[in-house]
Amino acid sequence: MGGGNLSWGLGFCPYATIYKGGGKDRHSLVSYRGIYLLNTLTKLLEGLMEARLSKFTELNDTLTPSHQGSRITRQTHDAIYAFTATIQEQSQYGFPSYCCFIDFANVYPSVHRERLGLTLKNYRITGKIWHLLKENSQSVRVQVLHALIDQNDQVDILRGLPEGSRLSPTLFGICVAELILELRAKFPLLQFPQITSIDDLNWIGAFLYIDDMGLITRSPAQLQSMIDACRTGQSEAICASTMKKQRS
C-alpha cells in the first residue's frame, strides 16, 4: 500500500511541520504544528470508519449536547449562538454570568491511547471497528520532513492522535465527553428552568467546540470550582496536560 500508510500494519508516515506564526519563537518546537501526510488509501479507509463512528455517536449522543464541533449537524455559529443566548437569557431573569474561555493546547498529541481504547469500550464501541481503531494507533513511526533532518531518520510516536487524520476530531470528542459528563454531574443546577430536561439540553454549564471550551456559572467561586474540576478527577488524564490557556 506504499510508504505513506499510517495504519493497518505499516505504521509509517511522512510528517510535515508548519510554523504557527503570530511572532512565536521559530527555534521552539511548540511554535510548529505537526501534520501527518497520509496517503489517499489511508484517507479513504479512515473516511469509511469515520462515517460509521459518527453515525453511532449521533444516535447514542456520545459527544453530549454541549459539544458543537466535528459533527454533521453542528457548526461554529451554533456554539456562539448558544453561548450568547445563555448569557442574555440569564440577564433577563436577573442572574449574573461569570465566564471563562479555555483553549486546550496540543489536544491530539496529548490523547492517551490506552485510555482511549477503554473509553471506546465504555461507550459500547467494540468489535471490528474497535480493533481497527486500536491497530491504527498501535505502532506509529514518522519521518519529519525538514532540510536539517536526514531523510532516513524516523521517530516512533508513543502517544496521541495524528494531526491530519479524519478520525482524530471525533475520537478526541469521545475522550473529552468524559469531562463534560463530570462537570454536568458536579454542577447539575447550571440549567435553564424554562427548558425541559429532555436529553439534558437545559444544562448550560459548558459549551465545547473541538478544543475550545466556554464555561458559564453564576458566581466567581463556582467558576473557579469548574476550572479546578477540569484539572482533577477522572478527566485529569485526558486534559490536564493540555489546559494551558484561560481567559476569564
Side-chain angles (χ1 to χ4, degrees):
M1 287 188 287
N5 188 31
L6 176 64
S7 58
W8 298 287
L10 293 180
F12 168 75
C13 182
Y15 188 80
T17 55
I18 301 176
Y19 178 59
K20 295 181 180 179
K24 298 182 183 295
D25 183 6
R26 290 183 175 271
H27 299 285
S28 174
L29 292 176
V30 298
S31 301
Y32 293 83
R33 184 183 306 279
I35 302 295
Y36 290 74
L37 304 180
L38 307 177
N39 67 18
T40 303
L41 182 57
T42 298
K43 286 184 176 291
L44 175 61
L45 292 172
E46 286 193 343
L48 295 174
M49 294 172 62
E50 196 274 334
R52 292 189 59 186
L53 193 61
S54 294
K55 183 178 181 180
F56 179 89
T57 56
E58 289 299 323
L59 288 175
N60 294 275
D61 198 22
T62 307
L63 302 183
T64 77
S66 299
H67 197 151
Q68 306 295 327
S70 67
R71 306 174 71 173
I72 297 176
T73 58
R74 312 289 180 93
Q75 298 183 28
T76 311
H77 60 260
D78 293 321
I80 297 173
Y81 172 78
F83 196 86
T84 55
T86 298
I87 296 175
Q88 293 173 355
E89 181 77 6
Q90 292 199 131
S91 177
Q92 291 178 2
Y93 286 91
F95 295 114
S97 297
Y98 297 87
C99 307
C100 174
F101 296 92
I102 297 174
D103 181 8
F104 294 100
N106 301 317
V107 286
Y108 295 161
S110 300
V111 171
H112 193 283
R113 295 174 188 167
E114 295 300 325
R115 173 97 181 222
L116 173 61
L118 293 175
T119 302
L120 292 173
K121 283 191 172 182
N122 290 338
Y123 285 117
R124 296 180 288 110
I125 301 174
T126 57
K128 292 182 179 179
I129 192 169
W130 184 88
H131 288 287
L132 286 172
L133 292 170
K134 183 76 173 178
E135 186 179 350
N136 189 40
S137 60
Q138 189 69 31
S139 176
V140 179
R141 174 170 292 188
V142 300
Q143 174 194 344
V144 180
L145 303 178
H146 193 279
L148 299 180
I149 299 178
D150 191 285
Q151 61 180 357
N152 295 320
D153 287 347
Q154 298 179 8
V155 179
D156 290 316
I157 306 298
L158 303 179
R159 64 176 298 169
L161 298 170
E163 298 269 8
S165 169
R166 297 180 65 176
L167 290 166
S168 294
T170 302
L171 291 176
F172 173 73
I174 293 173
C175 286
V176 81
E178 286 189 287
L179 172 59
I180 297 297
L181 294 175
E182 282 188 23
L183 294 177
R184 196 160 65 187
K186 292 180 179 179
F187 305 94
L189 299 180
L190 294 174
Q191 56 184 244
F192 273 136
Q194 295 80 16
I195 302 178
T196 62
S197 59
I198 297 176
D199 296 329
D200 295 314
L201 291 176
N202 62 338
W203 190 78
I204 46 85
F207 294 95
L208 186 71
Y209 186 83
I210 310 294
D211 59 349
D212 294 293
M213 183 166 63
L215 304 177
I216 303 180
T217 65
R218 292 175 180 149
S219 71
Q222 197 174 48
L223 179 61
Q224 185 60 56
S225 296
M226 290 192 76
I227 295 174
D228 293 340
C230 291
R231 297 180 178 274
T232 58
Q234 293 182 358
S235 61
E236 182 177 9
I238 301 174
C239 65
S241 63
T242 70
M243 190 174 160
K244 302 300 183 182
K245 293 176 284 186
Q246 300 170 196
R247 300 184 301 278
S248 299

